[in-house]
Amino acid sequence: MFLINCPYCGERDQQEFKAGGEAHIERPKQPTELSDDEWAEYLFMRKNIKGVQFERWNHAHGCRKWFNMIRDTSNDEIKLVYKMGEKPPSE
Amino acid sequence: MQKTLRVKTSEYIDETNSVSFKFNGKSYYGFKGDTLASALLANDVHLVGRSFKYHRPRGIMTAGSEEPNAIVQVNDNTDRTEPNVRATEVEIYDGLEASSQNCWPNVNFDIGGINNVISPFLPAGFYYKTFMWPASFWKKYEYFIRHSAGLGKSPKEKDPDFYDHKYIHCDVLVVGAGIAGILAAKNAAKNNLKTLLVDEKNELGGATIFQNREFNKIENQSSSDWLKKEIQELKNIKNLEIKTRTSVAAYHGYNYLLARENLTDHLEKKDKQGKIRQRLLKIRAKKVILATGALERPLIFNNNDRPAIMLSSAVKKYADFYGVICGQKTVFFTNNDSAYESALCLHYKGIKVEAIIDIRDNSDSKIVKAVKDAGIKIHWSHTVVNTSGYKRLKNISVMKLSNDGMSVTGNKVEISCDCLGVSGGWTPAVHLFTQSGGKLSFDEENKVFLPNKYPSEQISIGSCNGDFKINEIIKNLSKDLKDFLKIEQADFDNISVDSYEEKSKRNIWLLPSDKPIGKTNPFVDYQNDATAKDIRLALREGFRSIEHVKRYTTTGMGTDQGKLGNMHALGIIADTAGVKMGELGTTTFRPPYTPLTFGTIVGRNVGEYFDIFRRTPMNDWHIQNKAEFENVGQWKRGWYYPVNGETMHQAVQRESKAARESAGILDASTLGKIDIQGSDALEFLNRVYTNAWSKLAIGKCRYGLMLNEDGMVYDDGVTTRLGENHYLMTTTTGGAANVLGKLEDYLQTEWPELDVYLTSVTDHYATASVCGPNSKKILNKIIPDLDLSDDSFPHMSFKEAKVDNIKCRVMRISFTGEHSYEINIQASYGKSLWEKCIDAGKEFNITPYGTETMHLLRAEKGFIIVGQDTDGTMTPIDLQMDWIVSKKKYDFIGKRSLYRSDTMREDRKQLVGLITDDPKIVLEEGAQIVSELNQNPVQMLGHVTSSYYSPNLKKSIALAVVRNGKNMMGKKLFIPMEDKTINVSVANPVFFDEENKRLNA
Ligand SMILES: [Zn+2]
């Protein structure tokens, strides 16, 4: 059970949060211009890495804000949380 | 009780307080402080159960939670009965009843014992190989297997006890209150850290507390005396909370641990009443100190499982702590010095020690010398090759080991004995450490896995970290603790400790016998009857991964998770396969460390508290009027309102007719309501719904369909434009929370530039929906000054109004196809509004109807219910709702997916109506639909999603999803049921009033 540092509320128990899959996948601005393959890439393809992964999380039973998290899925170490719209750190 | 089996006891047994209990129906006496195991041993009862597969007689082997054999059912045939309880952990009380498991008909005569005689035929994988084939025989096998399997009996009555959950936050959690844990907790608390110390036993002090010999001295006192004073001091330390009878079950990431605190299991029945039985502690600790100790290992030799073959440390604990003699003639069998401690303990208490069998060549440590001085015979370089005695050990056969330890030589020596204390060394209890994600490394010299890489703020101290001697423990603890807690000085930096050094080591995972291995029974996992030869067989058959060998042989898969034998299993695999143990790794230790009761896991969340209920403001009226209720999500919704003993069918038929012939009223308060405001609210609606919203005038309502990004229907509902930048969206009852979450997600992450605010107002309003040809007249009685003419208040529009001076919102919308109004009022007035409608409607026979009638009425109209007629694989096109998908809008959620090659396939399943040839037959929802009856295999075209008998049409109607159904209008299809085949034809899903004339009636 993680202890998650919500960027708006501070440290809270994992059960207050909802995981929302891979982060930084932007919804295409012009979906109609995309081929089936390109749209499927956006819609279905997720990396699901063993190791350091960029994720979306939502403080569902708290401030209800979405934010980003960098987590090592092999040992659940949360390396960083940062707000939506903020650029991910380069390394 | 046989007086001779008790020796002078420690202060932990109260000999003045005799306790009466029953085991397998027979009455016995013990003392307060006894466990069921110690009390049975004091009564000379060693045989307590049968093994799982071969039903071999088994006795008490340990004195702790690692016990594999003495697994009992307590208080059978009462509401407090519990299976799979370790006799070594049950504290006895007056009236306790316990019985053996896994024996049928009883422990002394056991039918499954036949498996023992035919044991050569039950090797590893026997069950997999034998009972697979023929499949039709499985029912017969199952009866036999289940009847003779020792899984215990689950209680049949409601659990009379209650349970609790508690959250604890602390700076330091110390697990285990042996000497290491006590010193760590004391120092943490004294340095102003909020500390919690837990131990599974009822007394603090671990093994040191009965370590009353001169071989282990602290500050020139016996280590037990010294520790008792330390424990005394603990009581006066602030910041320190101590919980005994508390077993840590799981260690999760981020130092989140679950522990079970046992509060009443040791009490007599009358004292249990009204108290919390067990409490699940949910502990979040900044730092964790694991002081979980070590478990003594057995040795693996031929017939090593007979009753009265016990761990050497258990023999010692029964004598030292409980004052119980396990045998009149005891032999020890060992590969290390700790059995010598046990031998001396018995010797000093006047209990006869026949001999010590030691596989080592020699040892000249202080303690071995003391044993020699006591005149106890030591057989160096010897091993036990066989044992005898069916229900109790009688005799052992001993032979000399070859130099390589692979075989035996010389003459067989027979030793008569009634107890054998075995020690194969010690295994650090690293279970919790590995559960937390910790990685182990193998210490080749001592043949132990030790904590290596720590995943969180934690350390392991004492014997769970490989320090087995008291001087090592205290020396290393001092340094480790100061580093970990960042403190300057520890209390015990300069205390003098005197212990002995173990000078000789020898380890043989599988000890040889004079017989070939195939003719021996060297048990590795006692509870699951896995032997060393099973493990070898698994390797011969090609299994390599330890996880596979474990499952194939069932080693380590019992309720004890193989706490005793896992290391030997690994050792035997490593030796046989010729690999190093460090490279082999270990199997995964999974929570819980010891089994938890369901009661503890669910705590207070039982009965009506299992899940929360949501009730509408009209709920009391529904109850008073004898409504039957239906669960919709967490809501309790009125399902139907039977009168004069009507069946559900009768009530629904009556309600449905009344709603169409005169007037009906439905409590629609549960529909999700989202208040949407902001200058971009209109643009937002255009993006989230499939249809166009730009032309919706203030005061108008519109039905909307919401998709997922994959093009599949997600939710639907009517949205009303209340003002220039103000909308009220309704959602399905079950979808409300998810829809809000989804909309917030898009607003926060994809479209943060939109000026839109969402507020859930589901609970703020109560909604009464009045429908039917007389609904207008009823509304006119309630709100006389509201102009209800079609010109002023047409279908799909909204008005603000007042009922008795209370503001309300009235929408003229319809889910039944009838002329109808939804009145929304502040929730606290919901019941008054409802009663007012009922009063006003009396002259029109206004009929309250529930969800079942609502479903029937909408099915007559072919309106879908998201989640019933859709299942996350239906597009609006599949639902034949092309009319609601805007062609003009550039984008909306899910639009692009509607043009994927897969979603455009003609032969997708599509929503159609079905009419049965026989109008009286009502189809079963979920029934499969086929077009050919004589196909093999028959191709399923789809299934029935909604089905009713329509009283207004006087025939059976159904909605269904059928492959390519759009192009099948009028086609005959079949619904094969168990006893008959039903003929149907495909029809338009709108069965009733296709021209919508009734909306304005
Ligand atoms: Zn938050």
Side-chain angles (χ1 to χ4, degrees):
Chain A
M1 196 75 83
F2 313 162
L3 202 57
I4 296 173
N5 191 10
C6 169
Y8 304 92
C9 307
E11 280 194 336
R12 295 288 191 279
D13 193 282
Q14 184 187 343
Q15 61 182 343
E16 294 184 14
F17 296 84
K18 200 174 91 179
E22 193 178 330
H24 303 298
I25 297 175
E26 200 182 338
R27 187 174 187 272
K29 289 273 184 291
Q30 297 175 312
T32 45
E33 313 292 312
L34 302 183
S35 68
D36 269 14
D37 282 353
E38 287 165 332
W39 179 248
E41 183 68 28
Y42 157 71
L43 194 57
F44 301 122
M45 295 307 174
R46 298 294 182 268
K47 291 197 196 89
N48 197 18
I49 294 163
K50 180 183 180 184
V52 176
Q53 175 162 290
F54 293 70
E55 300 175 335
R56 286 153 32 90
W57 283 75
N58 178 229
H59 196 183
H61 298 282
C63 63
R64 293 194 62 85
K65 288 281 195 189
W66 284 91
F67 59 91
N68 297 307
M69 177 192 292
I70 303 177
R71 180 173 70 104
D72 187 332
T73 59
S74 67
N75 59 12
D76 287 336
E77 187 195 340
I78 297 170
K79 296 188 175 293
L80 189 71
V81 291
Y82 54 103
K83 292 178 182 175
M84 272 297 152
E86 288 179 359
K87 288 263 169 294
S90 45
E91 247 331 290
Chain B
M1 192 182 322
Q2 287 161 276
K3 207 84 201 122
T4 49
L5 292 182
R6 287 277 183 181
V7 284
K8 178 63 197 146
T9 60
S10 67
E11 66 228 60
Y12 302 104
I13 296 294
D14 179 1
E15 287 187 60
T16 63
N17 198 338
S18 164
V19 175
S20 160
F21 67 99
K22 277 186 178 173
F23 181 67
N24 285 337
K26 201 176 158 194
S27 290
Y28 297 96
Y29 289 90
F31 295 129
K32 190 162 171 41
D34 266 326
T35 61
L36 178 59
S38 69
L40 285 172
L41 290 169
N43 285 282
D44 210 18
V45 176
H46 275 262
L47 172 63
V48 291
R50 294 274 177 162
S51 68
F52 187 73
K53 199 157 80 176
Y54 303 126
H55 289 238
R56 285 170 71 98
R58 290 283 165 78
I60 296 155
M61 215 177 146
T62 73
S65 59
E66 71 272 33
E67 175 62 36
N69 289 341
I71 307 295
V72 298
Q73 180 102 23
V74 295
N75 299 322
D76 197 5
N77 297 321
T78 74
D79 51 7
R80 283 201 168 85
T81 191
E82 188 180 348
N84 299 320
V85 179
R86 292 155 299 285
T88 49
E89 289 195 302
V90 178
E91 296 173 49
I92 60 166
Y93 51 84
D94 265 322
L96 168 72
E97 294 193 23
S99 48
S100 301
Q101 289 181 187
N102 201 23
C103 38
W104 175 49
N106 65 55
V107 71
N108 280 301
F109 174 74
D110 181 307
I111 274 181
I114 192 84
N115 284 2
N116 188 20
V117 181
I118 59 164
S119 79
F121 305 110
L122 286 174
F126 173 78
Y127 285 75
Y128 297 124
K129 291 168 185 165
T130 310
F131 294 128
M132 284 297 290
W133 209 252
S136 59
F137 265 49
W138 175 245
K139 278 180 185 166
K140 284 174 188 132
Y141 294 140
E142 193 186 13
Y143 173 80
F144 167 76
I145 293 168
R146 288 213 190 284
H147 214 92
S148 51
L151 301 171
K153 283 183 266 181
S154 51
K156 292 191 176 63
E157 315 281 320
K158 185 178 183 299
D159 191 336
D161 285 311
F162 52 100
Y163 302 80
D164 216 351
H165 286 184
K166 184 183 181 182
Y167 289 90
I168 296 180
H169 296 262
C170 57
D171 293 321
V172 180
L173 169 69
V174 183
V175 184
I179 186 165
I182 285 169
L183 295 179
K186 185 181 172 195
N187 278 276
K190 276 188 152 182
N191 282 279
N192 288 321
L193 296 166
K194 191 184 164 207
T195 305
L196 174 65
L197 171 65
V198 301
D199 194 279
E200 61 181 4
K201 300 263 190 320
N202 60 339
E203 294 286 349
L204 302 182
T208 311
I209 203 68
F210 53 92
Q211 195 65 266
N212 46 15
R213 299 288 157 213
E214 66 266 28
F215 302 103
N216 294 297
K217 283 169 131 181
I218 302 175
E219 298 286 62
N220 288 318
Q221 304 165 50
S222 80
S223 52
S224 59
D225 286 346
W226 184 84
L227 188 60
K228 273 171 206 159
K229 280 188 218 134
E230 289 289 311
I231 292 170
Q232 214 50 43
E233 274 183 45
L234 287 182
K235 290 174 184 135
N236 307 319
I237 301 178
K238 279 188 306 181
N239 296 325
L240 177 61
E241 190 181 0
I242 300 171
K243 286 189 179 289
T244 54
R245 298 189 177 99
T246 300
S247 158
V248 174
Y251 188 167
H252 297 294
Y254 292 77
N255 281 350
Y256 181 73
L257 295 92
L258 297 175
R260 181 210 49 213
E261 185 181 18
N262 212 333
L263 299 162
T264 65
D265 277 0
H266 60 291
L267 300 178
E268 283 177 49
K269 190 176 172 187
K270 65 176 166 52
D271 298 324
K272 291 185 207 280
Q273 309 293 355
K275 292 187 182 133
I276 294 164
R277 181 187 170 203
Q278 291 171 346
R279 195 184 271 141
L280 186 71
L281 308 177
K282 301 176 171 185
I283 308 166
R284 182 78 76 172
K286 292 207 176 92
K287 291 171 187 249
V288 173
I289 297 174
L290 294 177
T292 46
L295 303 175
E296 193 169 26
R297 291 176 195 168
L299 289 165
I300 310 301
F301 54 96
N302 183 23
N303 288 321
N304 59 343
D305 66 327
R306 298 195 189 280
I309 297 179
M310 307 170 71
L311 292 180
S312 138
S313 59
V315 175
K316 177 175 185 295
K317 182 165 186 182
Y318 284 118
D320 265 346
F321 189 89
Y322 298 104
V324 174
I325 302 169
C326 293
Q328 306 286 9
K329 285 188 293 180
T330 300
V331 173
F332 287 94
F333 180 25
T334 188
N335 68 358
N336 69 92
D337 281 358
S338 49
Y340 291 77
E341 270 189 48
S342 305
L344 281 174
C345 136
L346 297 196
H347 178 76
Y348 293 142
K349 282 182 184 291
I351 307 165
K352 182 150 178 53
V353 178
E354 284 285 310
I356 295 182
I357 322 295
D358 197 323
I359 70 170
R360 298 175 297 178
D361 297 341
N362 208 340
S363 168
D364 60 355
S365 63
K366 201 160 75 177
I367 195 151
V368 172
K369 283 187 190 120
V371 167
K372 283 180 185 160
D373 293 345
I376 298 169
K377 179 158 176 54
I378 305 171
H379 298 263
W380 295 107
S381 268
H382 274 65
T383 182
V384 177
V385 295
N386 201 0
T387 66
S388 63
Y390 188 57
K391 290 176 191 169
R392 169 86 186 252
L393 180 70
K394 281 188 183 138
N395 186 80
I396 59 171
S397 312
V398 172
M399 286 176 82
K400 190 163 174 39
L401 273 168
S402 66
N403 285 339
D404 64 1
M406 303 288 283
S407 58
V408 285
T409 59
N411 292 331
K412 210 183 279 186
V413 181
E414 303 292 331
I415 302 173
S416 157
C417 58
D418 61 357
C419 179
L420 181 66
V422 176
S423 179
W426 294 82
T427 302
V430 294
H431 308 71
L432 291 177
F433 170 77
T434 56
Q435 276 183 26
S436 78
K439 298 279 179 282
L440 301 167
S441 64
F442 190 65
D443 172 352
E444 199 59 56
E445 188 193 342
N446 295 302
K447 306 285 181 210
V448 289
F449 282 99
L450 294 175
N452 183 24
K453 273 176 76 177
Y454 293 92
S456 61
E457 281 277 308
Q458 58 166 300
I459 50 168
S460 293
I461 59 169
S463 57
C464 73
N465 197 35
D467 296 332
F468 297 118
K469 293 281 175 290
I470 210 159
N471 51 339
E472 294 167 3
I473 292 173
I474 289 179
K475 191 178 85 200
N476 291 333
L477 180 58
S478 171
K479 184 184 167 302
D480 291 350
L481 208 57
K482 281 191 281 190
D483 285 353
F484 183 62
L485 298 177
K486 299 188 172 56
I487 54 178
E488 292 285 302
Q489 205 178 342
D491 259 16
F492 45 89
D493 274 352
N494 299 311
I495 56 175
S496 69
V497 187
D498 189 17
S499 189
Y500 63 91
E501 203 186 335
E502 184 163 88
K503 292 190 173 162
S504 165
K505 294 186 171 76
R506 186 179 195 188
N507 191 71
I508 300 172
W509 293 115
L510 172 60
L511 290 158
S513 170
D514 54 332
K515 290 185 205 153
I517 181 169
K519 297 225 149 80
T520 63
N521 294 302
F523 285 91
V524 176
D525 182 314
Y526 302 85
Q527 200 178 93
N528 273 346
D529 271 349
T531 64
K533 59 187 178 188
D534 292 324
I535 293 172
R536 290 216 173 150
L537 175 67
L539 289 161
R540 249 197 343 266
E541 293 188 359
F543 291 92
R544 283 295 173 270
S545 152
I546 48 166
E547 295 286 358
H548 291 159
V549 173
K550 165 180 164 173
R551 280 155 186 78
Y552 192 59
T553 61
T554 70
T555 304
M557 287 175 70
T559 57
D560 60 339
Q561 292 194 35
K563 291 187 181 81
L564 294 185
N566 271 343
M567 284 300 293
H568 306 85
L570 295 174
I572 291 165
I573 294 169
D575 286 353
T576 311
V579 293
K580 287 202 166 126
M581 281 185 76
E583 291 160 15
L584 202 59
T586 64
T587 52
T588 315
F589 300 110
R590 290 192 172 80
Y593 179 67
T594 48
L596 289 176
T597 59
F598 283 110
T600 311
I601 293 167
V602 297
R604 302 267 173 158
N605 303 325
V606 292
E608 66 175 305
Y609 303 109
F610 179 68
D611 196 7
I612 58 165
F613 292 138
R614 297 173 78 183
R615 297 183 171 94
T616 74
M618 292 79 141
N619 190 64
D620 286 351
W621 190 94
H622 302 323
I623 291 172
Q624 279 155 20
N625 287 273
K626 308 280 187 307
E628 291 292 331
F629 286 88
E630 181 183 27
N631 295 331
V632 182
Q634 289 170 326
W635 287 101
K636 289 275 172 200
R637 293 198 72 176
W639 191 11
Y640 57 98
Y641 298 78
V643 292
N644 302 327
E646 281 174 325
T647 64
M648 174 168 165
H649 176 74
Q650 289 164 337
V652 170
Q653 296 289 306
R654 172 181 52 77
E655 290 170 13
S656 304
K657 269 173 87 75
R660 294 224 188 275
E661 285 169 7
S662 180
I665 181 167
L666 171 81
D667 180 356
S669 308
T670 62
L671 282 186
K673 301 182 243 340
I674 301 171
D675 185 276
I676 303 175
Q677 301 193 40
S679 56
D680 293 319
L682 180 64
E683 169 64 17
F684 181 65
L685 289 172
N686 269 324
R687 293 188 192 185
V688 299
Y689 278 128
T690 60
N691 46 341
W693 291 77
S694 303
K695 289 182 183 150
L696 185 72
I698 294 171
K700 296 292 179 192
C701 313
R702 183 162 292 174
Y703 174 76
L705 197 61
M706 195 183 288
L707 309 184
N708 255 333
E709 204 68 272
D710 61 6
M712 304 304 155
V713 171
Y714 184 68
D715 201 74
D716 67 346
V718 169
T719 295
T720 303
R721 187 167 189 183
L722 301 172
E724 177 62 29
N725 292 321
H726 191 187
Y727 297 79
L728 181 70
M729 174 188 279
T730 59
T731 73
T732 58
T733 296
N738 289 336
V739 169
L740 179 71
K742 179 184 160 89
L743 299 183
E744 285 180 327
D745 187 352
Y746 274 89
L747 272 179
Q748 288 181 35
T749 65
E750 299 295 350
W751 309 320
E753 72 281 4
L754 293 186
D755 175 38
V756 176
Y757 302 88
L758 306 175
T759 310
S760 167
V761 293
T762 304
D763 294 313
H764 303 35
Y765 293 95
T767 307
S769 175
V770 183
C771 80
N774 285 316
S775 59
K776 193 193 247 181
K777 291 176 195 155
I778 295 167
L779 214 74
N780 190 245
K781 286 177 75 178
I782 306 167
I783 318 174
D785 50 354
L786 185 61
D787 181 356
L788 297 175
S789 67
D790 285 345
D791 288 344
S792 161
F793 196 0
H795 181 58
M796 296 307 271
S797 63
F798 143 81
K799 294 276 183 204
E800 301 242 12
K802 281 185 176 173
V803 177
D804 291 346
N805 228 19
I806 308 298
K807 277 205 279 187
C808 62
R809 291 167 174 167
V810 185
M811 280 82 168
R812 191 174 156 194
I813 53 179
S814 175
F815 192 43
T816 58
E818 295 298 316
H819 191 124
S820 107
Y821 300 91
E822 272 188 15
I823 312 163
N824 291 272
I825 199 161
Q826 188 183 315
S828 49
Y829 297 108
K831 193 168 164 235
S832 321
L833 170 72
W834 180 270
E835 284 164 346
K836 210 172 163 62
C837 292
I838 298 276
D839 278 352
K842 260 205 183 102
E843 60 177 297
F844 306 104
N845 183 33
I846 193 169
T847 301
Y849 66 91
T851 49
E852 192 64 22
T853 292
M854 174 187 81
H855 285 184
L856 193 164
L857 294 173
R858 65 86 208 180
E860 289 178 339
K861 288 293 297 174
F863 295 150
I864 59 155
I865 290 191
V866 174
Q868 173 154 346
D869 303 297
T870 73
D871 59 1
T873 66
M874 302 295 287
T875 69
I877 318 301
D878 298 338
L879 295 171
Q880 307 219 48
M881 290 173 77
D882 311 43
W883 55 271
I884 204 172
V885 181
S886 165
K887 300 274 190 300
K888 289 187 192 136
K889 283 200 293 183
Y890 179 71
D891 192 13
F892 55 82
I893 296 172
K895 172 165 178 162
R896 176 61 186 83
S897 291
L898 298 178
Y899 302 96
R900 293 178 57 236
S901 56
D902 184 56
T903 45
M904 287 171 72
R905 272 190 297 118
E906 274 294 297
D907 62 343
R908 289 176 63 82
K909 284 183 185 167
Q910 290 139 1
L911 188 80
V912 294
L914 291 183
I915 301 284
T916 50
D917 285 5
D918 178 348
K920 288 197 190 67
I921 296 180
V922 180
L923 299 174
E924 274 188 33
E925 288 172 1
Q928 296 291 322
I929 302 162
V930 303
S931 60
E932 301 286 333
L933 286 171
N934 298 321
Q935 249 176 350
N936 194 8
V938 65
Q939 197 188 7
M940 306 292 181
L941 293 182
H943 66 276
V944 178
T945 59
S946 296
S947 174
Y948 305 91
Y949 186 79
S950 161
N952 300 301
L953 295 156
K954 299 198 170 53
K955 65 176 182 185
S956 153
I957 57 167
L959 299 175
V961 292
V962 176
R963 185 167 300 159
N964 201 21
K966 246 185 233 183
N967 300 319
M968 285 192 185
M969 262 330 119
K971 188 170 162 60
K972 296 277 179 198
L973 297 174
F974 307 102
I975 301 195
M977 302 299 289
E978 198 172 6
D979 53 346
K980 63 184 172 205
T981 295
I982 304 166
N983 297 350
V984 297
S985 46
V986 179
N988 181 345
V990 185
F991 300 99
F992 187 75
D993 184 27
E994 208 174 327
E995 302 81 32
N996 289 325
K997 284 184 190 152
R998 304 178 67 88
L999 287 173
N1000 293 314

